[in-house]
Amino acid sequence: FHSGEREEKCIIEDVPSDTLVIGNYKVQRWDIHKQEFLESAPGLGMFVTVTTPSAEVLLSKLYGPQGTFSFTSYLSGEHVICLQSNSTRFVAFAGSRLRIHLDIRVGEHFLDESAVQAKDKVNEVNFRLEHLIEQIHHISKEQNYEREREEKFRKTSEETNSNILWWAIVQTLILISVGIWQIKSLRDFFISKKLV
């Protein structure tokens, strides 16, 4: 994505509890003379701030123009990941555009292929098996989190349906009582005018 030099960009990531989140980023600065983005942005760093669903700051750190950040969520919900350059120029003069490449991986543990190749076949199978077990645990956490969200949504839907039913009953009773009152008023009016 593109960003201004002092502009803060935030991404919302829905993460289950006890889940590792790894983010890799790279910043490129726009070169006015070449009319293209430079391969790197030396001297430019990024402030990375991660906020939990309860608005608590989980991570706040300054990194270089290219880096990796990671955190483990302890609450399930929407975590806000914000990136902002550490440019020292005033906002009015910081007109340079930045291109930020961001890759966020939730709950993944990567296989180190060089480590796998260095070990014998039995250890390789054992290592891959442990990796698969970790992935199964992560998938199980994701399913439990989605199940909790679905249950919460279902409860909200049932409460809304119940409220709608009671509102319809109240409206019906109000309409019937207004109709009875109008009939009684009209009957009393006609009797007083001796039309009936």
Tab-separated table of all heavy atoms in Angstrom, residues 105-146:
chain	number	residue	atom	x	y	z
A	105	ARG	N	1.438	-12.880	8.840
A	105	ARG	CA	1.123	-14.309	8.942
A	105	ARG	C	0.644	-14.587	10.355
A	105	ARG	O	1.336	-14.273	11.313
A	105	ARG	CB	2.332	-15.153	8.598
A	105	ARG	CG	2.771	-14.896	7.172
A	105	ARG	CD	3.898	-15.775	6.777
A	105	ARG	NE	4.388	-15.359	5.486
A	105	ARG	CZ	4.232	-16.065	4.383
A	105	ARG	NH1	3.611	-17.212	4.415
A	105	ARG	NH2	4.716	-15.632	3.248
A	106	VAL	N	-0.536	-15.170	10.446
A	106	VAL	CA	-1.153	-15.430	11.748
A	106	VAL	C	-1.041	-16.908	12.073
A	106	VAL	O	-1.501	-17.746	11.307
A	106	VAL	CB	-2.645	-15.007	11.736
A	106	VAL	CG1	-3.301	-15.317	13.061
A	106	VAL	CG2	-2.769	-13.541	11.398
A	107	GLY	N	-0.393	-17.201	13.197
A	107	GLY	CA	-0.349	-18.570	13.712
A	107	GLY	C	0.515	-19.523	12.937
A	107	GLY	O	0.369	-20.729	13.077
A	108	GLU	N	1.417	-19.027	12.115
A	108	GLU	CA	2.241	-19.936	11.332
A	108	GLU	C	3.635	-20.040	11.932
A	108	GLU	O	4.194	-19.072	12.414
A	108	GLU	CB	2.371	-19.436	9.892
A	108	GLU	CG	1.095	-19.575	9.118
A	108	GLU	CD	1.307	-19.357	7.638
A	108	GLU	OE1	2.449	-19.485	7.178
A	108	GLU	OE2	0.335	-19.075	6.959
A	109	HIS	N	4.161	-21.232	11.876
A	109	HIS	CA	5.551	-21.476	12.242
A	109	HIS	C	6.194	-22.065	10.992
A	109	HIS	O	5.773	-23.106	10.503
A	109	HIS	CB	5.656	-22.455	13.408
A	109	HIS	CG	4.964	-21.955	14.632
A	109	HIS	ND1	5.518	-21.017	15.459
A	109	HIS	CD2	3.744	-22.235	15.145
A	109	HIS	CE1	4.692	-20.757	16.448
A	109	HIS	NE2	3.608	-21.469	16.278
A	110	PHE	N	7.168	-21.406	10.469
A	110	PHE	CA	7.738	-21.788	9.187
A	110	PHE	C	8.774	-22.897	9.358
A	110	PHE	O	9.542	-22.919	10.305
A	110	PHE	CB	8.391	-20.572	8.522
A	110	PHE	CG	7.434	-19.458	8.309
A	110	PHE	CD1	7.474	-18.327	9.109
A	110	PHE	CD2	6.469	-19.545	7.347
A	110	PHE	CE1	6.587	-17.309	8.928
A	110	PHE	CE2	5.568	-18.526	7.155
A	110	PHE	CZ	5.630	-17.413	7.949
A	111	LEU	N	8.784	-23.772	8.378
A	111	LEU	CA	9.800	-24.814	8.338
A	111	LEU	C	11.087	-24.214	7.797
A	111	LEU	O	11.077	-23.538	6.774
A	111	LEU	CB	9.354	-25.945	7.404
A	111	LEU	CG	8.319	-26.914	7.941
A	111	LEU	CD1	7.896	-27.864	6.837
A	111	LEU	CD2	8.847	-27.676	9.114
A	112	ASP	N	12.175	-24.475	8.480
A	112	ASP	CA	13.477	-24.048	7.985
A	112	ASP	C	14.025	-25.200	7.150
A	112	ASP	O	14.507	-26.198	7.684
A	112	ASP	CB	14.399	-23.718	9.164
A	112	ASP	CG	15.721	-23.151	8.709
A	112	ASP	OD1	15.879	-22.887	7.497
A	112	ASP	OD2	16.598	-22.971	9.577
A	113	GLU	N	13.945	-25.056	5.824
A	113	GLU	CA	14.317	-26.146	4.924
A	113	GLU	C	15.795	-26.521	5.063
A	113	GLU	O	16.158	-27.679	4.929
A	113	GLU	CB	13.998	-25.768	3.467
A	113	GLU	CG	12.512	-25.671	3.178
A	113	GLU	CD	11.767	-26.978	3.374
A	113	GLU	OE1	12.355	-28.057	3.157
A	113	GLU	OE2	10.594	-26.926	3.768
A	114	SER	N	16.662	-25.546	5.331
A	114	SER	CA	18.087	-25.865	5.473
A	114	SER	C	18.327	-26.747	6.696
A	114	SER	O	19.158	-27.641	6.672
A	114	SER	CB	18.919	-24.588	5.553
A	114	SER	OG	18.533	-23.840	6.683
A	115	ALA	N	17.575	-26.480	7.780
A	115	ALA	CA	17.722	-27.308	8.981
A	115	ALA	C	17.184	-28.711	8.735
A	115	ALA	O	17.727	-29.689	9.245
A	115	ALA	CB	16.988	-26.669	10.153
A	116	VAL	N	16.108	-28.785	7.946
A	116	VAL	CA	15.530	-30.092	7.647
A	116	VAL	C	16.493	-30.918	6.804
A	116	VAL	O	16.694	-32.116	7.034
A	116	VAL	CB	14.176	-29.923	6.921
A	116	VAL	CG1	13.672	-31.250	6.420
A	116	VAL	CG2	13.164	-29.295	7.854
A	117	GLN	N	17.136	-30.307	5.810
A	117	GLN	CA	18.048	-31.033	4.932
A	117	GLN	C	19.303	-31.471	5.667
A	117	GLN	O	19.927	-32.478	5.314
A	117	GLN	CB	18.414	-30.166	3.733
A	117	GLN	CG	17.252	-29.945	2.796
A	117	GLN	CD	17.574	-28.940	1.706
A	117	GLN	OE1	18.643	-28.354	1.692
A	117	GLN	NE2	16.625	-28.747	0.789
A	118	ALA	N	19.714	-30.708	6.679
A	118	ALA	CA	20.932	-31.041	7.413
A	118	ALA	C	20.754	-32.268	8.300
A	118	ALA	O	21.717	-32.939	8.636
A	118	ALA	CB	21.370	-29.853	8.254
A	119	LYS	N	19.552	-32.588	8.670
A	119	LYS	CA	19.307	-33.723	9.562
A	119	LYS	C	19.039	-34.981	8.737
A	119	LYS	O	18.693	-34.912	7.561
A	119	LYS	CB	18.115	-33.412	10.462
A	119	LYS	CG	18.362	-32.225	11.370
A	119	LYS	CD	17.205	-31.977	12.268
A	119	LYS	CE	17.522	-30.771	13.142
A	119	LYS	NZ	16.533	-30.555	14.143
A	120	ASP	N	19.165	-36.125	9.370
A	120	ASP	CA	18.893	-37.368	8.660
A	120	ASP	C	17.385	-37.549	8.483
A	120	ASP	O	16.577	-36.777	8.995
A	120	ASP	CB	19.521	-38.550	9.409
A	120	ASP	CG	18.973	-38.692	10.809
A	120	ASP	OD1	19.115	-37.737	11.607
A	120	ASP	OD2	18.390	-39.727	11.106
A	121	LYS	N	17.011	-38.554	7.739
A	121	LYS	CA	15.615	-38.751	7.344
A	121	LYS	C	14.680	-38.961	8.534
A	121	LYS	O	13.557	-38.480	8.535
A	121	LYS	CB	15.490	-39.940	6.385
A	121	LYS	CG	16.128	-39.710	5.061
A	121	LYS	CD	15.389	-38.638	4.308
A	121	LYS	CE	16.034	-38.412	2.958
A	121	LYS	NZ	15.463	-37.301	2.255
A	122	VAL	N	15.112	-39.655	9.553
A	122	VAL	CA	14.259	-39.899	10.717
A	122	VAL	C	13.961	-38.587	11.432
A	122	VAL	O	12.810	-38.299	11.783
A	122	VAL	CB	14.922	-40.907	11.685
A	122	VAL	CG1	14.091	-41.058	12.958
A	122	VAL	CG2	15.091	-42.255	11.009
A	123	ASN	N	14.973	-37.780	11.620
A	123	ASN	CA	14.760	-36.480	12.258
A	123	ASN	C	13.895	-35.571	11.388
A	123	ASN	O	13.121	-34.775	11.898
A	123	ASN	CB	16.100	-35.801	12.563
A	123	ASN	CG	16.808	-36.449	13.732
A	123	ASN	OD1	16.183	-37.150	14.523
A	123	ASN	ND2	18.098	-36.230	13.834
A	124	GLU	N	14.063	-35.685	10.077
A	124	GLU	CA	13.250	-34.865	9.161
A	124	GLU	C	11.771	-35.212	9.307
A	124	GLU	O	10.924	-34.322	9.404
A	124	GLU	CB	13.703	-35.096	7.716
A	124	GLU	CG	12.888	-34.313	6.707
A	124	GLU	CD	13.305	-34.611	5.279
A	124	GLU	OE1	14.351	-35.224	5.063
A	124	GLU	OE2	12.547	-34.217	4.384
A	125	VAL	N	11.468	-36.504	9.347
A	125	VAL	CA	10.078	-36.937	9.512
A	125	VAL	C	9.542	-36.471	10.867
A	125	VAL	O	8.420	-35.957	10.979
A	125	VAL	CB	9.961	-38.470	9.355
A	125	VAL	CG1	8.581	-38.949	9.759
A	125	VAL	CG2	10.270	-38.879	7.927
A	126	ASN	N	10.361	-36.595	11.903
A	126	ASN	CA	9.970	-36.163	13.238
A	126	ASN	C	9.723	-34.657	13.267
A	126	ASN	O	8.738	-34.187	13.834
A	126	ASN	CB	11.054	-36.560	14.246
A	126	ASN	CG	10.618	-36.295	15.666
A	126	ASN	OD1	9.430	-36.275	15.966
A	126	ASN	ND2	11.576	-36.093	16.543
A	127	PHE	N	10.608	-33.903	12.637
A	127	PHE	CA	10.478	-32.440	12.586
A	127	PHE	C	9.209	-32.028	11.841
A	127	PHE	O	8.463	-31.170	12.291
A	127	PHE	CB	11.730	-31.858	11.915
A	127	PHE	CG	11.772	-30.376	11.899
A	127	PHE	CD1	11.941	-29.652	13.079
A	127	PHE	CD2	11.649	-29.674	10.711
A	127	PHE	CE1	11.980	-28.273	13.065
A	127	PHE	CE2	11.688	-28.299	10.684
A	127	PHE	CZ	11.857	-27.590	11.871
A	128	ARG	N	8.969	-32.647	10.711
A	128	ARG	CA	7.757	-32.337	9.931
A	128	ARG	C	6.491	-32.727	10.694
A	128	ARG	O	5.481	-32.042	10.626
A	128	ARG	CB	7.805	-33.008	8.569
A	128	ARG	CG	8.822	-32.391	7.651
A	128	ARG	CD	8.701	-32.934	6.240
A	128	ARG	NE	9.747	-32.409	5.404
A	128	ARG	CZ	9.648	-31.297	4.688
A	128	ARG	NH1	8.540	-30.597	4.734
A	128	ARG	NH2	10.645	-30.883	3.934
A	129	LEU	N	6.568	-33.837	11.428
A	129	LEU	CA	5.426	-34.269	12.227
A	129	LEU	C	5.117	-33.256	13.327
A	129	LEU	O	3.946	-32.916	13.546
A	129	LEU	CB	5.707	-35.647	12.831
A	129	LEU	CG	4.551	-36.302	13.586
A	129	LEU	CD1	3.373	-36.527	12.656
A	129	LEU	CD2	5.009	-37.615	14.186
A	130	GLU	N	6.149	-32.758	14.001
A	130	GLU	CA	5.943	-31.727	15.021
A	130	GLU	C	5.346	-30.466	14.399
A	130	GLU	O	4.476	-29.823	14.995
A	130	GLU	CB	7.271	-31.399	15.719
A	130	GLU	CG	7.750	-32.487	16.644
A	130	GLU	CD	9.128	-32.190	17.220
A	130	GLU	OE1	9.683	-31.110	16.930
A	130	GLU	OE2	9.645	-33.048	17.955
A	131	HIS	N	5.812	-30.119	13.213
A	131	HIS	CA	5.263	-28.944	12.515
A	131	HIS	C	3.778	-29.155	12.195
A	131	HIS	O	2.965	-28.243	12.385
A	131	HIS	CB	6.058	-28.675	11.237
A	131	HIS	CG	5.569	-27.505	10.461
A	131	HIS	ND1	5.717	-26.205	10.905
A	131	HIS	CD2	4.902	-27.424	9.285
A	131	HIS	CE1	5.181	-25.380	10.032
A	131	HIS	NE2	4.672	-26.091	9.044
A	132	LEU	N	3.424	-30.336	11.735
A	132	LEU	CA	2.015	-30.630	11.438
A	132	LEU	C	1.156	-30.584	12.697
A	132	LEU	O	0.021	-30.106	12.672
A	132	LEU	CB	1.888	-31.992	10.761
A	132	LEU	CG	2.363	-32.057	9.314
A	132	LEU	CD1	2.327	-33.496	8.815
A	132	LEU	CD2	1.514	-31.171	8.427
A	133	ILE	N	1.704	-31.089	13.816
A	133	ILE	CA	0.963	-31.049	15.080
A	133	ILE	C	0.726	-29.602	15.505
A	133	ILE	O	-0.370	-29.254	15.961
A	133	ILE	CB	1.707	-31.857	16.168
A	133	ILE	CG1	1.627	-33.347	15.841
A	133	ILE	CG2	1.126	-31.579	17.548
A	133	ILE	CD1	2.503	-34.228	16.712
A	134	GLU	N	1.735	-28.731	15.344
A	134	GLU	CA	1.556	-27.304	15.651
A	134	GLU	C	0.462	-26.687	14.792
A	134	GLU	O	-0.356	-25.910	15.271
A	134	GLU	CB	2.870	-26.539	15.422
A	134	GLU	CG	3.848	-26.627	16.548
A	134	GLU	CD	5.084	-25.779	16.288
A	134	GLU	OE1	5.013	-24.820	15.485
A	134	GLU	OE2	6.124	-26.081	16.881
A	135	GLN	N	0.459	-27.048	13.499
A	135	GLN	CA	-0.571	-26.517	12.610
A	135	GLN	C	-1.955	-27.017	13.012
A	135	GLN	O	-2.934	-26.266	12.942
A	135	GLN	CB	-0.268	-26.893	11.160
A	135	GLN	CG	0.871	-26.096	10.566
A	135	GLN	CD	1.112	-26.459	9.114
A	135	GLN	OE1	0.833	-27.579	8.684
A	135	GLN	NE2	1.642	-25.518	8.367
A	136	ILE	N	-2.047	-28.272	13.441
A	136	ILE	CA	-3.338	-28.812	13.884
A	136	ILE	C	-3.834	-28.057	15.113
A	136	ILE	O	-5.017	-27.707	15.209
A	136	ILE	CB	-3.224	-30.327	14.170
A	136	ILE	CG1	-3.062	-31.091	12.856
A	136	ILE	CG2	-4.421	-30.827	14.948
A	136	ILE	CD1	-2.720	-32.546	13.025
A	137	HIS	N	-2.923	-27.758	16.058
A	137	HIS	CA	-3.315	-26.983	17.237
A	137	HIS	C	-3.788	-25.592	16.843
A	137	HIS	O	-4.762	-25.074	17.397
A	137	HIS	CB	-2.154	-26.885	18.236
A	137	HIS	CG	-1.870	-28.157	18.965
A	137	HIS	ND1	-2.828	-28.833	19.692
A	137	HIS	CD2	-0.741	-28.888	19.074
A	137	HIS	CE1	-2.303	-29.909	20.225
A	137	HIS	NE2	-1.024	-29.983	19.863
A	138	HIS	N	-3.095	-24.982	15.890
A	138	HIS	CA	-3.502	-23.650	15.439
A	138	HIS	C	-4.881	-23.706	14.781
A	138	HIS	O	-5.734	-22.846	15.035
A	138	HIS	CB	-2.475	-23.075	14.465
A	138	HIS	CG	-2.914	-21.782	13.863
A	138	HIS	ND1	-3.035	-20.629	14.614
A	138	HIS	CD2	-3.296	-21.463	12.614
A	138	HIS	CE1	-3.460	-19.658	13.834
A	138	HIS	NE2	-3.628	-20.136	12.615
A	139	ILE	N	-5.114	-24.693	13.945
A	139	ILE	CA	-6.423	-24.825	13.281
A	139	ILE	C	-7.511	-25.053	14.323
A	139	ILE	O	-8.612	-24.497	14.226
A	139	ILE	CB	-6.382	-25.970	12.248
A	139	ILE	CG1	-5.496	-25.556	11.061
A	139	ILE	CG2	-7.783	-26.335	11.772
A	139	ILE	CD1	-5.189	-26.671	10.096
A	140	SER	N	-7.205	-25.849	15.335
A	140	SER	CA	-8.167	-26.088	16.417
A	140	SER	C	-8.498	-24.790	17.142
A	140	SER	O	-9.673	-24.520	17.449
A	140	SER	CB	-7.606	-27.118	17.388
A	140	SER	OG	-8.461	-27.294	18.471
A	141	LYS	N	-7.473	-23.959	17.437
A	141	LYS	CA	-7.720	-22.654	18.073
A	141	LYS	C	-8.593	-21.770	17.199
A	141	LYS	O	-9.510	-21.118	17.685
A	141	LYS	CB	-6.395	-21.932	18.334
A	141	LYS	CG	-5.653	-22.378	19.544
A	141	LYS	CD	-4.444	-21.469	19.720
A	141	LYS	CE	-3.414	-22.062	20.602
A	141	LYS	NZ	-2.200	-21.256	20.660
A	142	GLU	N	-8.294	-21.746	15.900
A	142	GLU	CA	-9.089	-20.944	14.963
A	142	GLU	C	-10.548	-21.402	14.968
A	142	GLU	O	-11.466	-20.586	14.982
A	142	GLU	CB	-8.531	-21.051	13.541
A	142	GLU	CG	-7.305	-20.241	13.287
A	142	GLU	CD	-7.618	-18.792	13.011
A	142	GLU	OE1	-8.761	-18.461	12.665
A	142	GLU	OE2	-6.692	-17.981	13.151
A	143	GLN	N	-10.765	-22.716	14.946
A	143	GLN	CA	-12.131	-23.238	14.945
A	143	GLN	C	-12.862	-22.878	16.233
A	143	GLN	O	-14.037	-22.500	16.198
A	143	GLN	CB	-12.121	-24.755	14.754
A	143	GLN	CG	-11.784	-25.183	13.352
A	143	GLN	CD	-11.722	-26.687	13.217
A	143	GLN	OE1	-11.447	-27.407	14.176
A	143	GLN	NE2	-11.957	-27.179	12.008
A	144	ASN	N	-12.185	-22.992	17.374
A	144	ASN	CA	-12.820	-22.627	18.642
A	144	ASN	C	-13.171	-21.146	18.668
A	144	ASN	O	-14.238	-20.764	19.155
A	144	ASN	CB	-11.908	-22.976	19.812
A	144	ASN	CG	-11.816	-24.456	20.052
A	144	ASN	OD1	-12.703	-25.214	19.664
A	144	ASN	ND2	-10.725	-24.894	20.656
A	145	TYR	N	-12.276	-20.317	18.157
A	145	TYR	CA	-12.529	-18.878	18.115
A	145	TYR	C	-13.726	-18.568	17.215
A	145	TYR	O	-14.617	-17.794	17.587
A	145	TYR	CB	-11.280	-18.150	17.625
A	145	TYR	CG	-11.463	-16.671	17.478
A	145	TYR	CD1	-11.788	-15.877	18.568
A	145	TYR	CD2	-11.306	-16.053	16.249
A	145	TYR	CE1	-11.958	-14.518	18.440
A	145	TYR	CE2	-11.466	-14.690	16.115
A	145	TYR	CZ	-11.788	-13.932	17.205
A	145	TYR	OH	-11.967	-12.588	17.073
A	146	GLU	N	-13.778	-19.188	16.043
A	146	GLU	CA	-14.905	-18.959	15.136
A	146	GLU	C	-16.203	-19.491	15.744
A	146	GLU	O	-17.269	-18.897	15.566
A	146	GLU	CB	-14.648	-19.612	13.773
A	146	GLU	CG	-13.536	-18.968	12.988
A	146	GLU	CD	-13.791	-17.504	12.680
A	146	GLU	OE1	-14.952	-17.113	12.454
A	146	GLU	OE2	-12.812	-16.735	12.675
